[in-house]
Amino acid sequence: MAKSLTGSKPLPPHQRIKRFLDVGWTFLVIYLTYKRIQRNKKLTPAQRERRLSQAHTKNAERIYGLATRLEGMLIKTCQFISSRADVAPTEYIAVLSRLQDSVPARPYSQVVAVIRGEFGKHPDELFDGFTRAPIASASLAQVHRARTKDGHDVAVKVQYPGIDRILETDLRNIAILVKILARIEKNFDFRIMMRELNKDMPRELDFELEGRSSERVAKDLAHRHDIRIPKVHWAETRRRVLTTEFIEATKISDIEALLAEGIDPNQVALIMTEAYCEQILVHGFFHADPHPGNLFVLPGPVVVFLDFGLSKELPESFRLNYAKLITALIAQDNERMVSAFRAIGFKTKSDDPESLVALGQSFFDYGGMDNKPYVDADVMPEVNERLSRILQANPVTEIPGDILLIFRVLGLMSGLQKRLDSRVDMVGTITPYAEEQAQKLLEMTQGDAAG
Ligand SMILES: Nc1ncnc2c1ncn2[C@@H]1O[C@H](COP(=O)(O)OP(=O)(O)OP(=O)(O)O)[C@@H](O)[C@H]1O
Ligand SMILES: [Mg+2]
């Protein structure tokens, strides 16, 4: 039997197979609805457009139904899709955004059982005014409002009972899919993604670790008065229960509410960009899940970061070479770009640098002609086509595991910048952070060479 990743057993075999089939069936149905529209040659362009939009809504509802039925990784995937306002159809975003913080909750009796299991006490013994109904619920937990016995307003995040077994099952099912994919697509090693997922998912179930991660980022960003991270109440925190300072703020994607409060969305986009430059490039430790359910804004504006379950630490040499890669990309210095790509662990089949240059170049190409701070959906097909042609000739055979969560952040940030209608000067904002670190790398290597 496979070793447990989460420390829990997977679901019984019949449920595990049922999950697999349920996902497979839903995606087959979705595929067929699009195929039917595509095949129907009698439709005028306007009719086709309308049919497509209807199909998007219907299919998004199907995925929503599937995700709320099965929970686990599916909700995480939907959160990602719904955060990609830059590339995903609006119909999908409208339906799937509900899964960012409004997943159908578990009954109160289950919440009581988890809190009893962790503290040996009923919520009403541990807290004052613990609300029966949750204020929010997402992929791993639901959150209830309460007051600590010493009078602090708190948000109590209570893990769904059984979510560990669901995730264990999902990881095993995904491993099977990856094996099948590996046989079909020999040019890319999907096992790297599997390895990272197997490391990250179990960590998300440990709320004490999440609390420590939030404190680490809070300390790193303490000098930024425009960023706030709720304080952890350790006395009321255990592995499955995280109690933090309650913060009432506006969801970052609620643009109308932001504007009504006199908050400039572009200013929020700038704070977000700087926050990620500093976390990734300067400290090498970052919040890796910036979907709108985890980001809020207070007047100022002050950006509130919640949910540090998915946090990532970068090895120092990776961080410095990543900074070097960025400076090389900005300077369009292909030689340095390729040397940085290689230093952080990228390899291509023929060792010819062309694929790495194309990969680097695509970062700018996705922004379109006017270098938008988010992916321009209009140019995407063309850039994808060009990139895949080059990658087919000389495939990238190795991708460093450490870059995957950076890619995740870049994707989520692109969606967010689009949502905020950002006009942030990306190159101008990123350059000082990247150059400072690239300079450090240079000094280190010169030091090594001299000594
Ligand atoms: N300190 C807080 N103050 C106010 N609201 C909070 C606080 N902590 C959590 N929430 C609310 O609870 C929701 C769920 O919390 P959280 O994101 O930590 O759960 P999760 O299951 O880990 O989420 P995800 O699915 O993103 O992994 C948040 O989207 C937010 O709406
Ligand atoms: Mg969350």
Side-chain angles (χ1 to χ4, degrees), residues 158-282:
V158 184
Q159 197 168 107
Y160 299 131
I163 193 73
D164 45 353
R165 295 190 68 183
I166 292 177
L167 288 178
E168 181 72 35
T169 309
D170 284 349
L171 289 174
R172 291 179 189 212
N173 281 350
I174 295 169
I176 296 174
L177 273 182
V178 163
K179 272 197 188 134
I180 298 171
L181 265 177
R183 295 235 168 131
I184 304 171
E185 173 59 70
K186 293 218 164 51
N187 285 331
F188 184 74
D189 190 358
F190 291 94
R191 280 172 305 185
I192 299 161
M193 290 163 106
M194 198 65 233
R195 214 177 306 140
E196 292 302 307
L197 211 55
N198 285 347
K199 271 195 285 185
D200 297 333
M201 280 318 305
R203 289 163 55 91
E204 275 202 73
L205 293 169
D206 182 354
F207 288 178
E208 287 170 335
L209 179 65
E210 173 174 343
R212 290 197 297 276
S213 299
S214 80
E215 287 188 339
R216 182 165 171 187
V217 177
K219 193 162 158 250
D220 288 343
L221 301 181
H223 65 101
R224 300 243 7 174
H225 300 293
D226 48 6
I227 293 172
R228 189 155 153 207
I229 294 165
K231 289 202 173 49
V232 180
H233 287 259
W234 286 108
E236 292 83 11
T237 291
R238 294 289 183 275
R239 197 181 155 84
R240 292 183 180 79
V241 178
L242 175 69
T243 301
T244 55
E245 161 194 15
F246 175 79
I247 297 181
E248 179 130 56
T250 304
K251 193 169 166 177
I252 200 164
S253 53
D254 190 348
I255 309 300
E256 266 175 42
L258 293 180
L259 292 173
E261 289 167 57
I263 296 169
D264 173 11
N266 192 52
Q267 182 64 24
V268 174
L270 179 63
I271 296 171
M272 286 300 299
T273 310
E274 291 177 347
Y276 273 94
C277 284
E278 185 169 343
Q279 288 179 83
I280 294 177
L281 296 171
V282 181

Side-chain angles (χ1 to χ4, degrees), residues 75-76 79 99-101 135-141 143 155 157 204 210 230 244-248 289 291 293-294 296 306-307:
I75 295 192
K76 298 229 160 257
Q79 289 175 340
L99 297 172
Q100 291 164 357
D101 51 17
I135 51 167
S137 43
S139 65
L140 304 177
V143 175
K157 172 170 169 176
E204 275 202 73
E210 173 174 343
T244 55
E245 161 194 15
F246 175 79
I247 297 181
E248 179 130 56
D289 203 9
H291 72 70
N294 295 337
F296 291 77
L306 298 178
D307 191 357

